[in-house]
Amino acid sequence: MPPRIAQRLRALPSYLFREIERRRQAAEAAGRDVIDFGVGDPDRPTPAFILDAMSRALRDPACQGYPPDTGTPGFRSAAAAFFHRRYGLELDPQRELIALIGTKEGLAHLPLALVDPGQTVLVPDPAYPVYRAATVLAGGTPWPMPLRENNQWLPVLDAIPPDVARSAALMFLNYPNNPTGAVASLEFYERVVHFARRFGLVVAQDAAYNELYLTADPPPSLLQVPGARDVAVEFHSLSKTFNMSGWRIGLAVGNAAVIEALARVKSNIDSGVFKAIQEAGRAAYEGYGRPEIEQARSLYRERSEVLCAGLRACGFRVSPAQATFYVWAAVPDGYDDVQVACRLLDEAGIVCIPGSGFGSAGAGYVRFALTVDVDRIRTAITRLSRLSW
Ligand SMILES: *Cc1c(COP(=O)(O)O)cnc(C)c1O
């Protein structure tokens, strides 16, 4: 008899990206040349100034023991200084900021800190799968907030029934948005803060792409709204900004009681981020103004233009992402997104992600990650142009 697996896992869909990865490996095992626009993982190396900080720290015995629970003072104050420079925010690095083993880790643990079994969590649809999965693992009930093109991919707050809002413990948001590439304005965040106050819920805004603005102006932080810190926390990631996805470091900032509750969950589960990695993270934030970051943006801008032009010529309706490194394309008429993703893989060796994998409101779109160099993007477009729809 196989071991009995807990009920809560059965309530989870299989993790989307693992499924895509399996299909990609199968195609490659069959000898096909695959161009992978699937998982959004930066293809460029971590900048040298960050590697240098890491190699220095690695040899320092002071970095080799258990790290402090909520992050080293050095990392936290460098991050707080970054928030001041970039957003004009004065954060208390002790109480309003916590280091995470990547943003995903913090997002996944947050419902354990805030949500009682059976409580509602407002979750965008389409979305990064973690918000929903973390809600289910904590015994909460996700309430989808559809994001639609005709509302700039923002949730319609007035469409959330007041009794649902009142019973909700938490609302997840993610701007700049994965998968749609949309950006939210400070004015939208003001409405969110007002909504959260009115219904007594916490807002968790995932700002993993805040520094990857392409056609948009630099996006605001939700914490720039006066009073936001009474109701909100924001998650920031080093993975996309500094090409550090494998290093596993991120942070949450905002409401001190929420940060403290998250710290309590984490202190019972993990023992923090390797101190040498926090030294690297500190160097990253201290080096935020360096040209490497703007170079990364220009690279994604160029890729976005080439891919969007090519997709348009092939019958997809698409506009370049305002921010993030994704292209979110409406599929040709008469097809659904899963059919399109399958045809691209089977007939052109192109991996993209069907929008419905991010939630039912993502149906009819496919997502391309711009983590492929421009020559390969051109090859993909050539292959795509041979398909007829
Ligand atoms: C990539 C991504 C993350 C993960 O960031 P890590 O810091 O690497 O854990 C979080 N949120 C969104 C929306 C992402 O796309």
Side-chain angles (χ1 to χ4, degrees):
M1 272 249 293
R4 190 186 161 280
I5 301 302
Q7 199 65 44
R8 70 174 72 80
L9 276 196
R10 289 178 221 167
L12 287 183
S14 75
Y15 195 64
L16 172 70
F17 301 145
R18 275 174 60 185
E19 183 61 33
I20 303 282
E21 181 61 16
R22 212 177 45 225
R23 292 184 46 180
R24 185 183 68 79
Q25 282 173 2
E28 278 180 344
R32 312 259 312 281
D33 172 51
V34 173
I35 305 179
D36 190 353
F37 295 95
V39 181
D41 188 1
D43 59 315
R44 304 291 300 157
T46 306
F49 73 93
I50 299 172
L51 299 179
D52 291 343
M54 175 70 170
S55 46
R56 278 193 304 275
L58 202 50
R59 286 168 200 289
D60 178 357
C63 284
Q64 291 161 4
Y66 285 118
D69 263 0
T70 55
T72 61
F75 174 68
R76 284 188 294 168
S77 34
F82 158 78
F83 279 96
H84 186 250
R85 275 205 323 277
R86 166 75 166 87
Y87 300 106
L89 290 168
E90 298 276 1
L91 290 165
D92 176 349
Q94 300 293 327
R95 298 171 56 251
E96 296 180 312
L97 194 152
I98 184 173
L100 303 170
I101 311 171
T103 308
K104 182 180 180 182
E105 177 267 307
L107 291 165
H109 283 141
L110 187 68
L112 288 179
L114 300 179
V115 180
D116 281 321
Q119 269 194 304
T120 301
V121 176
L122 303 170
V123 176
D125 170 9
Y128 186 57
V130 176
Y131 317 132
R132 177 173 233 287
T135 299
V136 169
L137 288 175
T141 307
W143 174 278
M145 301 184 291
L147 312 183
R148 310 241 185 242
E149 191 165 1
N150 64 13
N151 196 46
Q152 291 79 50
W153 306 107
L154 300 171
V156 180
L157 300 177
D158 293 340
I160 301 166
D163 55 323
V164 171
R166 255 189 298 276
S167 69
L170 176 63
M171 172 195 279
F172 280 109
L173 289 176
N174 166 219
Y175 293 98
N177 184 254
N178 172 10
T180 66
V183 168
S185 64
L186 202 55
E187 186 272 325
F188 171 73
Y189 288 150
E190 279 165 9
R191 283 189 279 134
V192 167
V193 169
H194 177 77
F195 183 90
R197 282 180 183 289
R198 177 165 165 220
F199 293 108
L201 51 87
V202 172
V203 178
Q205 143 64 5
D206 178 358
Y209 296 95
N210 246 38
E211 311 315 323
L212 281 192
Y213 40 90
L214 306 183
T215 64
D217 291 335
S221 160
L222 182 140
L223 296 185
Q224 289 172 303
V225 175
R229 260 177 268 185
D230 296 341
V231 293
V233 283
E234 192 164 70
F235 289 78
H236 288 255
S237 174
L238 288 85
S239 297
K240 318 293 165 56
T241 313
F242 301 106
N243 300 335
M244 291 178 75
S245 53
W247 297 60
R248 309 316 301 137
I249 180 166
L251 64 148
V253 290
N255 183 272
V258 174
I259 297 290
E260 163 66 18
L262 180 57
R264 276 174 59 196
V265 172
K266 284 173 55 57
S267 67
N268 282 289
I269 296 178
D270 64 65
S271 297
V273 179
F274 181 24
K275 280 189 265 185
I277 292 178
Q278 297 194 57
E279 281 302 300
R282 166 194 190 155
Y285 275 125
E286 285 173 353
Y288 177 75
R290 293 174 61 112
E292 287 89 337
I293 293 105
E294 182 51 31
Q295 280 158 13
R297 289 183 202 110
S298 328
L299 184 77
Y300 295 130
R301 274 182 205 119
E302 182 195 6
R303 292 172 177 181
S304 172
E305 280 162 23
V306 172
L307 182 60
C308 287
L311 285 170
R312 239 178 262 126
C314 295
F316 290 74
R317 190 171 50 77
V318 58
S319 40
Q322 292 181 276
T324 74
F325 51 37
Y326 300 109
V327 164
W328 181 241
V331 302
D333 288 341
Y335 289 84
D336 74 36
D337 53 296
V338 175
Q339 288 171 323
V340 169
C342 289
R343 274 198 73 190
L344 293 194
L345 184 56
D346 297 342
E347 298 175 37
I350 294 169
V351 175
C352 66
I353 301 200
S356 55
F358 298 99
S360 54
Y365 295 82
V366 287
R367 191 196 78 175
F368 295 84
L370 295 166
T371 47
V372 172
D373 75 41
V374 83
D375 291 338
R376 293 285 278 167
I377 295 177
R378 293 208 168 91
T379 306
I381 296 295
T382 307
R383 290 190 201 166
L384 195 58
S385 65
R386 298 193 192 112
L387 306 187
S388 57
W389 300 93

